[in-house]
Amino acid sequence: MLRTALRNVLAHKARLLMTVLAVMLGVAFVAGTLVFTNTISDAYQKSSQKGFQGVDVAISPDKKDDDSANPGDAPRLSQQVLDKAAKAPGAGSAFGVVKGNAALADKKGDLLGGGFSNVGGNYYPGADGKDPRYTMTEGRAPKTPGEIALDFKTAERGEYKAGDSIRVSVDGPVRTEKVVGVFTTDDGNVAAGGTLALYDTVTAQKLFAKPGQFDEIDVKAAAGTSQATLKSAIDKVLPEQAKATTGKKLAKDQAKAIEDGMSSMQTAMLVFAGIALFVGIFIIVNTFSMLVAQRTKELALMRAVGATRRQVTRSVLMEATFVGAVAAVVGLAAGVGIGALLRSVLNSSGASVPDGPLVVAPTTVLVSVLVGVVVTVLSAWLPGRRAAKIPPVAAMNSVHAAPTTRGLVVRNTIGSILAAAGIALVVSGAGMGGDGQGPMAFGAAVLVIGVFVLTPLLSRPLIAASSPVLRLFGMPGKLARQNAVRNPRRTAATASALMVGLTLITGMTVIAGSMQKGIDKMAADGLKSDYVVSMGGTTPRPMSPDVSKTLAKVPEVTSISSLRSSPARVAGDTDTLTGVDPKAIKDLVNVDFTEGSFGALGGTKVLIDDKIADKNHWKVGSTIPVTYEDGSSGRLTVGGVYEGNQMIRGVMLDNATVTPHMTTVADFQVMLKTKGGATQDTKDLLKKTLGENPAIKIQNKQDTSDEIASAFTLMLNMLYGLLGMAVIVAVLGVINTLAMSVFERSKEIGMLRAIGLDRAGIKRMVRLESLVISLFGGVLGLGLGVFFGWAAGELIATELPSYELVLPWARIALFLLMAALVGVIAALWPARRASKLNMLAAIKAE
């Protein structure tokens, strides 16, 4: 049986090629994902370990989380702590670390590093005058105010060298500094495309901390002293609100953080690899079903000469194992190439990755081989079992083909139950708010399986609906329709492969379009201001009050308010106070009040959103105990309750009340209105007023909406690319089915040629059959995608009240056109092959 299985594989090389390709693509995606994420993770881990080589013990602030502690930031470390650490037994040297934000402009005025990680720090020379963290490759270290040193990669990207001037923004206003040196560093953020600018320690403390204070103190052990011993010695001299951590633990924690960060990306990519493999299952089932059907007499003869049912099934599974193993090996090799390609793409996109070898872990090899073989064998098991059940005499007389009425009834009943249960779960999940994700996901899976089981039943009426159009093509059109419904199971499996991909693509497109509409509506309804000014970058950053003061002097500005954020403990709970200008805020934001109005805002009277009010049973006149950022206590009075939205919510109070309690006075946003409204000329004027600052964003309502939506657009484009793999596999499935169907119908095609159907007619028949099957899968995918998009939107609406369902008709039409294109392209080779069959040879074929 083993020899027979191998002979059959080698005898049907062309027929199994598409199956090998389908499995290979899925395995390549899995292997490529593992190679890529393992390589990136390993590179970052090794880079971060280099960064900790000069650190044996790190001292950092340790904020005590108790009711007596201030709600504000953790305290920094003083020069006194640094001196004590340097004198601790076993300490060789110690240096203070200061860090903050420092946005750098290139020579064109654009932001270097894209806002990913724009860090400013200090150069802390030791006894030898050098800082072991940084190696100067050009010039010298900064020593006085106005001097700065740049990391090598930033200097290279910005085309800076020692002696040049550079524009820098720390918290808003532009500073012009002189580049006095260029250095190399093992800092992971720099390796990933960020920027690092160094000042002398005194200047860095003034800019990022307070005079004489540090964010961290790094200690190097003396020769012969272990990290654990040094930590124990340092623990004895530390103040209460400080903690010591060994360099080994820091490196280990950093490696774990990198691994956790990469695992989410790895999981997401593996999900799409799984989808591609799931789609490939339909191809494998189809291929082995047709191969078994074509060899029915051969299998029957084997049964007649003594082979058991198990041996017949085992023979089919041996073929599948061989095919799966070949596909897995080729897929693994292709996956290594994909991993290397993804790293190159990541580097070329500007997100630099630390240098390191390509990592092909043993688990990657094992997983790839197991996935390829297991998926193929499991997919081939059903056709093999079905072949073994056919009685030898019936098989040799070819009376086995038609499925029984009872079998179809059972299948349709099971499919109907699954589909109904899936719809019920999805709809119920949509009505459960944030708790409905689990039921909805399970219901979606059940519904897709139910529709797949029902697809043979659905194929007849849906394909019959195409009859009026197919009649226009004459006899080839009529034959194409009959061929498409001749074997409903095969048609269903072929169409289902395309259905899965289009379901996901359509669902995501509906969600993305609806979210964009909701975000636009949120910005339009929540903002009255013409512009919102804030610091650029991927994370919120504090902005100097000087920005607001500068903008307020512009004659075109009619109303302006700084928004300040201050952590506090409100009625015992940690919360954030939002400071505003009580006179201007009513002209800049749009909220509906359930009680009170903006007129009540001022002094100790505050406005709270309805969720906070409902949670604490507060209303106008209620008194709220508060502990401010600096630790002082007070009482606030509720002057109004408003309906919070995504743009503004929480506790709103007068800037004059909250500012005296802030440890560092800074704005997170400035809202303003101008005489002429939001125009490009006004925006240019505001930019010019702020010194063409590359670190500051000036956004109108549409800019704000576009920025929020850009993350979803980027994710959607990535998902389109990943799901493209599933669509490619689906195309292979259509090609495979048609090619094998042409082989199976050789005699029939020869007869059609003999009675007058020319080669063009044969081509047209095969193409139309492919087109109908693809459009059938497309229609099912679009319908399911819209349904899932609506259901997911109901969950999103609980977090984004302005969410509004939008059906992107243009894209839906484009997806349907793509399905048709898939059918046309997939039919090119099978149609050409069918038209070239020799009619006499085909009529004689068994």
Side-chain angles (χ1 to χ4, degrees):
M1 296 303 292
L2 176 61
R3 286 198 301 272
T4 302
L6 291 175
R7 183 187 61 79
N8 284 325
V9 170
L10 297 175
H12 304 122
K13 291 186 291 289
R15 302 184 213 174
L16 290 169
L17 177 62
M18 295 300 173
T19 301
V20 171
L21 283 174
V23 179
M24 183 270 289
L25 282 173
V27 171
F29 206 167
V30 171
T33 296
L34 294 173
V35 169
F36 171 67
T37 52
N38 288 340
T39 298
I40 301 301
S41 179
D42 181 72
Y44 276 119
Q45 285 181 20
K46 287 180 178 176
S47 177
S48 66
Q49 286 170 359
K50 286 182 184 177
F52 290 116
Q53 281 179 356
V55 181
D56 289 313
V57 174
I59 304 170
S60 58
D62 183 23
K63 181 182 174 182
K64 303 302 179 182
D65 190 15
D66 55 47
D67 293 339
S68 63
N70 295 345
D73 295 334
R76 290 186 170 91
L77 303 168
S78 66
Q79 182 69 43
Q80 185 181 13
V81 177
L82 173 59
D83 294 338
K84 287 183 178 179
K87 295 176 182 177
S93 60
F95 53 91
V97 179
V98 184
K99 281 190 178 181
N101 295 305
L104 308 173
D106 62 18
K107 292 186 177 180
K108 296 179 181 178
D110 296 327
L111 183 66
L112 278 167
F116 157 68
S117 176
N118 304 119
V119 177
N122 69 310
Y123 188 91
Y124 193 92
D128 58 355
K130 297 180 181 180
D131 188 329
R133 298 170 297 172
Y134 313 110
T135 302
M136 288 292 162
T137 59
E138 181 185 346
R140 60 173 175 81
K143 297 178 181 178
T144 62
E147 295 183 343
I148 197 173
L150 303 179
D151 71 86
F152 175 78
K153 290 191 176 182
T154 298
E156 189 177 50
R157 286 199 301 269
E159 298 180 354
Y160 287 110
K161 61 182 183 299
D164 290 346
S165 294
I166 185 171
R167 297 167 71 242
V168 185
S169 176
V170 173
D171 59 356
V174 176
R175 304 166 56 93
T176 300
E177 316 282 17
K178 182 181 179 181
V179 179
V180 296
V182 176
F183 60 89
T184 58
T185 176
D186 292 319
D187 190 298
N189 287 324
V190 172
T195 64
L196 177 59
L198 298 181
Y199 291 88
D200 65 279
T201 298
V202 173
T203 303
Q205 288 174 331
K206 289 178 180 177
L207 292 174
F208 308 127
K210 289 183 179 179
Q213 293 190 342
F214 301 97
D215 296 306
E216 184 180 300
I217 295 171
D218 293 340
V219 186
K220 180 73 175 174
T225 304
S226 68
Q227 291 188 356
T229 303
L230 179 60
K231 179 182 178 301
S232 299
I234 289 176
D235 280 337
K236 295 174 183 177
V237 299
L238 286 184
E240 183 182 355
Q241 289 190 320
K243 64 178 180 180
T245 310
T246 63
K248 288 181 180 177
K249 188 174 189 311
L250 287 174
K252 184 178 179 181
D253 291 345
Q254 180 78 0
K256 182 69 168 61
I258 292 170
E259 186 178 340
D260 291 344
M262 294 303 298
S263 68
S264 57
M265 179 194 293
Q266 187 180 80
T267 301
M269 294 179 70
L270 286 175
V271 165
F272 290 96
I275 292 170
L277 283 169
F278 180 68
V279 171
I281 286 172
F282 295 111
I283 300 177
I284 300 167
V285 172
N286 251 5
T287 302
F288 278 93
S289 295
M290 296 172 77
L291 284 174
V292 167
Q294 291 168 12
R295 287 165 36 212
T296 301
K297 288 186 178 181
E298 175 189 325
L299 294 174
L301 184 60
M302 291 173 63
R303 290 286 312 281
V305 297
T308 65
R309 286 185 176 183
R310 285 186 178 180
Q311 286 178 311
V312 171
T313 304
R314 203 176 298 140
S315 172
V316 175
L317 294 182
M318 285 176 185
E319 292 181 45
T321 302
F322 183 79
V323 170
V326 171
V329 171
V330 177
L332 175 61
V336 173
I338 289 173
L341 178 64
L342 286 174
R343 183 172 67 170
S344 299
V345 169
L346 196 63
N347 279 325
S348 63
S349 68
S352 303
V353 177
D355 294 332
L358 204 63
V359 179
V360 184
T363 52
T364 301
V365 177
L366 182 62
V367 167
S368 300
V369 173
L370 283 178
V371 165
V373 173
V374 170
V375 166
T376 309
V377 169
L378 288 179
S379 302
W381 175 77
L382 188 61
R385 184 170 174 272
R386 193 183 299 147
K389 280 189 171 184
I390 301 172
V393 175
M396 295 181 79
N397 285 283
S398 300
V399 295
H400 62 284
T404 63
T405 303
R406 179 176 175 275
L408 291 174
V409 170
V410 170
R411 178 178 179 134
N412 294 337
T413 302
I414 293 172
S416 300
I417 293 171
L418 289 173
I423 291 172
L425 283 169
V426 170
V427 172
S428 64
M432 293 169 65
D435 298 327
Q437 294 181 3
M440 183 179 291
F442 181 67
V446 172
L447 177 55
V448 169
I449 294 170
V451 170
F452 168 64
V453 175
L454 280 175
T455 308
L457 176 65
L458 298 172
S459 64
R460 290 186 179 276
L462 288 177
I463 292 176
S466 64
S467 293
V469 177
L470 292 176
R471 285 197 192 102
L472 299 176
F473 296 92
M475 184 55 67
K478 182 179 180 181
L479 291 171
R481 184 185 66 80
Q482 291 175 347
N483 288 335
V485 297
R486 177 186 296 182
N487 191 329
R489 287 181 175 176
R490 185 186 303 166
T491 298
T494 306
S496 294
L498 190 59
M499 177 192 79
V500 172
L502 277 181
T503 295
L504 294 167
I505 290 174
T506 305
M508 289 187 302
T509 303
V510 169
I511 293 170
S514 301
M515 286 196 71
Q516 178 68 66
K517 180 77 172 177
I519 292 167
D520 289 344
K521 189 172 185 295
M522 175 187 71
D525 292 349
L527 291 176
K528 285 185 182 178
S529 63
D530 293 323
Y531 296 101
V532 176
V533 181
S534 62
M535 295 295 288
T538 55
T539 56
R541 291 164 49 192
M543 184 167 58
S544 170
D546 292 340
V547 173
S548 176
K549 292 175 183 176
T550 302
L551 292 172
K553 295 175 184 177
V554 178
E556 282 76 4
V557 174
T558 58
S559 185
I560 186 168
S561 174
S562 300
L563 275 69
R564 293 175 182 167
S565 178
S566 177
R569 190 166 285 109
V570 180
D573 293 330
T574 301
D575 211 327
T576 301
L577 303 177
T578 302
V580 299
D581 184 329
K583 294 179 181 177
I585 195 65
K586 63 180 180 298
D587 299 323
L588 303 171
V589 297
N590 187 26
V591 294
D592 296 323
F593 282 86
T594 56
E595 287 186 275
S597 67
F598 277 119
L601 182 60
T604 58
K605 284 193 173 181
V606 301
L607 305 179
I608 60 174
D609 69 45
D610 49 351
K611 289 185 179 179
I612 294 177
D614 292 342
K615 176 185 175 183
N616 296 283
H617 306 291
W618 290 337
K619 58 184 179 181
V620 170
S622 296
T623 302
I624 307 170
V626 60
T627 302
Y628 292 103
E629 182 178 347
D630 61 358
S632 61
S633 300
R635 303 190 78 80
L636 302 173
T637 303
V638 177
V641 179
Y642 65 94
E643 294 180 8
N645 55 48
Q646 296 294 313
M647 303 305 296
I648 191 155
R649 53 188 169 183
V651 180
M652 198 188 311
L653 76 167
D654 190 342
N655 268 331
T657 303
V658 71
T659 300
H661 300 289
M662 296 176 68
T663 54
T664 301
V665 178
D667 303 329
F668 69 89
Q669 277 183 350
V670 175
M671 292 183 175
L672 56 93
K673 282 185 76 71
T674 56
K675 289 177 182 176
T679 65
Q680 188 59 45
D681 288 341
T682 304
K683 189 173 183 178
D684 291 341
L685 174 62
L686 296 177
K687 282 185 177 180
K688 187 176 180 180
T689 302
L690 294 174
E692 300 289 345
N693 194 322
I696 292 181
K697 296 185 297 187
I698 302 175
Q699 298 176 304
N700 57 27
K701 292 179 185 179
Q702 191 57 50
D703 294 333
T704 303
S705 176
D706 291 345
E707 183 182 47
I708 298 171
S710 63
F712 301 109
T713 304
L714 177 64
M715 187 181 298
L716 185 68
N717 291 336
M718 288 177 61
L719 295 179
Y720 279 161
L722 293 170
L723 284 172
M725 182 72 73
V727 175
I728 292 172
V729 174
V731 172
L732 291 175
V734 179
I735 295 173
N736 202 28
T737 300
L738 288 174
M740 298 187 75
S741 179
V742 165
F743 179 85
E744 195 176 62
R745 303 199 316 256
S746 295
K747 180 180 282 189
E748 176 186 318
I749 292 171
M751 289 295 294
L752 289 172
R753 289 289 315 281
I755 61 177
L757 192 62
D758 59 10
R759 289 186 173 181
I762 294 293
K763 282 185 179 179
R764 195 174 299 120
M765 176 187 73
V766 176
R767 288 170 183 164
L768 289 173
E769 179 184 348
S770 175
L771 182 65
V772 167
I773 292 173
S774 296
L775 285 175
F776 170 51
V779 169
L780 288 180
L782 293 175
L784 284 173
V786 169
F787 176 65
F788 291 146
W790 162 81
E794 293 297 300
L795 294 183
I796 295 171
T798 60
E799 297 296 327
L800 182 66
S802 57
Y803 182 90
E804 183 180 327
L805 180 66
V806 174
L807 294 181
W809 294 110
R811 289 206 175 189
I812 289 175
L814 178 64
F815 293 155
L816 194 61
L817 185 63
M818 284 173 55
L821 187 63
V822 164
V824 172
I825 293 174
L828 291 177
W829 177 61
R832 186 169 177 272
R833 182 183 178 193
S835 67
K836 286 193 170 187
L837 284 175
N838 182 294
M839 68 178 77
L840 294 178
I843 291 171
K844 290 182 193 176
E846 285 294 330

